[in-house]
Amino acid sequence: MKIFKFGGASVKDADGVKNIGKILADHNAEKLLVVISAMGKSTNHLEKLVHACVYGTGETNALLMELKDYHYSIIHGLEKTNSSAMVNDIENIFLELECLVETPATPEEYDFVYDQVVAFGELISTKIVSHYLLTEGFKNQWIDSRNFIITDNRYRDARIQWDETEKIISNKLKPLAEKQTVITQGFIGRGPVNETTTLGREGSDYSAAIFAYCLNAESVTIWKDVAGVMNADPKKMDNASLISNLGYSDAIELAYYGASVIHPKTIQPLMAKNIPLYVKSFINPTELGTQVSNQNHVLDLPCYIFKENQVLAELKTRDFTFIVEQNLEQIFSLLAQHKIRCNIIQNSAISFSFVADNKENKLTNLISDLEKLGLSVQITESLELITIYNAVEGSKKTVLGIKEIILEQNTGNTSHYLVR
Ligand code: ASP
Ligand code: MG
């Protein structure tokens, strides 16, 4: 069995959905489980809806209407697919979403509400694609991945309960997937009280890897709008080149530092079972793309990773005493509690600094808790983190140019530069 994953960009319009139909038809003879993300930018849109609903901004209805219009325009673009089954299903799902966002919610419940609401992007997109394929004569079975991806209740960043997930996938899903193509959602799972959970933004790659691991799949293919894994984001660097073969560990490093082509958690489950990962272009599906596997490939290119919207937090004790183990213990436990992942940490005698993604709603609460510990917190926003992996001579100059370096860190063959 093979696992295919299509991201939001591949289903951003009706032509995208039709293109998936063509790619799947080319693989008609294979046993496939297909993981699909929310269409286009609808996850961002749903995030706005969560905000509107939790803070009662009065925009809920307008945002819902926009979301509906967007999806219905895709449905209408699929011509004969205005099948009543499809329209019924989609109307029902929207009705459910409407009822959900009308339920009063408080800012304290933000992460929980987020998961319940944002999951609809994936539910809608997979329904549309599944129905479209059926009307095209491509037999498939839509399944709700929340029945199989079992998680804890760390909302917005849920952890997989591997034993349960593996058991239910091999007992219940495997027999089904052996018989016909399965269409399912990435990114979403089920928590301890049957609530919806999500695996973190861009988490659909990870879902594909989880299914692959539990089904002992032959391979995973992530279909992207780029040729494969490049040594830099081609939107940022003109001469970015394709990496045809990549070892698992290089792929983990690159993904971890923010190479957005692969979600960081994706590789480990695949590596554990030696399942190769292909990253291929849905625009040119016959091109080879990148193969990530255990074959020992020497990565002979420098890789450049750009992460925007970074924030630097510098913590000091108010009485100018040293930052000691006890402070660090408290700081790290607050970071964990607020689910902030540090991209860089650095400490000196009197200060502790960390760099993190600037995520709505997370940092403000953390800062106020840090201040309660008697620490002063200085924040610098709108920074960019540039990572050079496997640098060669001249790499630094190429990417940094005249940018002001705020913080620099070097470990092994990786260098990080926080720049303004
Ligand atoms: N739809 C989710 C997101 O945009 C998950 C994914 O696409 O992987 O983050
Ligand atoms: Mg996406």
Side-chain angles (χ1 to χ4, degrees), residues 149-254:
I149 305 288
I150 312 301
T151 72
D152 66 3
N153 62 358
R154 217 176 125 110
Y155 304 121
R156 293 177 74 177
D157 188 22
R159 302 293 145 103
I160 303 301
Q161 307 295 97
W162 281 99
D163 289 345
E164 258 183 279
T165 301
E166 206 177 348
K167 207 162 124 201
I168 194 155
I169 287 182
S170 55
N171 288 345
K172 303 278 181 220
L173 183 58
K174 197 168 178 155
L176 228 148
E178 292 285 352
K179 277 192 268 173
Q180 60 192 311
T181 297
V182 166
I183 305 286
T184 193
Q185 309 79 40
F187 180 55
I188 66 176
R190 171 158 59 95
V193 291
N194 286 336
E195 75 279 44
T196 304
T197 54
T198 67
L199 309 181
R201 284 303 307 262
E202 306 303 331
S204 296
D205 291 359
Y206 184 38
S207 304
I210 299 163
F211 282 117
Y213 179 93
C214 298
L215 290 164
N216 291 312
E218 188 187 325
S219 65
V220 173
T221 307
I222 298 182
W223 297 91
K224 304 274 309 180
D225 55 357
V226 290
V229 180
M230 316 283 282
N231 75 327
D233 181 346
K235 286 177 206 127
K236 294 248 179 186
M237 277 177 89
D238 298 336
N239 53 353
S241 9
L242 177 76
I243 306 171
S244 313
N245 287 291
L246 196 57
Y248 288 123
S249 28
D250 282 332
I252 289 175
E253 297 279 334
L254 293 180

Side-chain angles (χ1 to χ4, degrees), residues 353-372:
S353 306
F354 68 85
V355 177
D357 298 350
N358 203 353
K359 281 198 193 138
E360 186 196 2
N361 211 43
K362 292 219 179 218
L363 227 51
T364 343
N365 296 341
L366 170 70
I367 294 166
S368 91
D369 279 356
L370 286 166
E371 283 169 343
K372 281 183 209 144

Side-chain angles (χ1 to χ4, degrees), residues 68-299:
K68 272 190 187 174
D69 287 349
Y70 170 62
H71 286 94
Y72 278 108
S73 77
I74 294 180
I75 293 174
H76 293 135
L78 296 171
E79 291 112 28
K80 64 179 174 187
T81 323
N82 290 314
S83 74
S84 62
M86 151 114 70
V87 174
N88 274 349
D89 266 356
I90 300 299
E91 268 175 13
N92 253 319
I93 297 179
F94 271 117
L95 192 62
E96 211 179 302
L97 176 61
E98 242 172 272
C99 296
L100 184 64
V101 295
E102 273 169 24
T103 316
T106 62
E108 288 71 50
E109 298 167 299
Y110 194 96
D111 288 355
F112 169 78
V113 175
Y114 180 102
D115 283 4
Q116 311 317 302
V117 171
V118 169
F120 276 81
E122 281 38 39
L123 294 168
I124 298 165
S125 75
T126 48
K127 273 284 179 198
I128 294 177
V129 175
S130 168
H131 277 294
Y132 168 73
L133 294 172
L134 289 174
T135 56
E136 289 295 302
F138 189 99
K139 207 170 156 233
N140 70 86
Q141 170 81 47
W142 180 93
I143 63 133
D144 188 330
S145 64
R146 292 172 298 182
N147 288 322
F148 302 101
I149 305 288
I150 312 301
T151 72
D152 66 3
N153 62 358
R154 217 176 125 110
Y155 304 121
R156 293 177 74 177
D157 188 22
R159 302 293 145 103
I160 303 301
Q161 307 295 97
W162 281 99
D163 289 345
E164 258 183 279
T165 301
E166 206 177 348
K167 207 162 124 201
I168 194 155
I169 287 182
S170 55
N171 288 345
K172 303 278 181 220
L173 183 58
K174 197 168 178 155
L176 228 148
E178 292 285 352
K179 277 192 268 173
Q180 60 192 311
T181 297
V182 166
I183 305 286
T184 193
Q185 309 79 40
F187 180 55
I188 66 176
R190 171 158 59 95
V193 291
N194 286 336
E195 75 279 44
T196 304
T197 54
T198 67
L199 309 181
R201 284 303 307 262
E202 306 303 331
S204 296
D205 291 359
Y206 184 38
S207 304
I210 299 163
F211 282 117
Y213 179 93
C214 298
L215 290 164
N216 291 312
E218 188 187 325
S219 65
V220 173
T221 307
I222 298 182
W223 297 91
K224 304 274 309 180
D225 55 357
V226 290
V229 180
M230 316 283 282
N231 75 327
D233 181 346
K235 286 177 206 127
K236 294 248 179 186
M237 277 177 89
D238 298 336
N239 53 353
S241 9
L242 177 76
I243 306 171
S244 313
N245 287 291
L246 196 57
Y248 288 123
S249 28
D250 282 332
I252 289 175
E253 297 279 334
L254 293 180
Y256 182 80
Y257 293 121
S260 60
V261 178
I262 310 169
H263 185 275
K265 288 182 187 164
T266 309
I267 308 291
Q268 271 140 311
L270 302 181
M271 188 162 109
K273 288 209 175 162
N274 221 337
I275 300 170
L277 168 71
Y278 300 97
V279 182
K280 283 167 72 93
S281 157
F282 61 75
I283 303 157
N284 300 306
T286 51
E287 281 177 9
L288 287 177
T290 300
Q291 176 179 4
V292 182
S293 66
N294 73 344
Q295 287 154 28
N296 241 342
H297 294 288
V298 184
L299 182 61

Side-chain angles (χ1 to χ4, degrees), residues 383-394:
L383 300 172
E384 183 178 18
L385 179 63
I386 300 180
T387 299
I388 307 180
Y389 185 67
N390 219 9
V392 292
E393 218 188 301

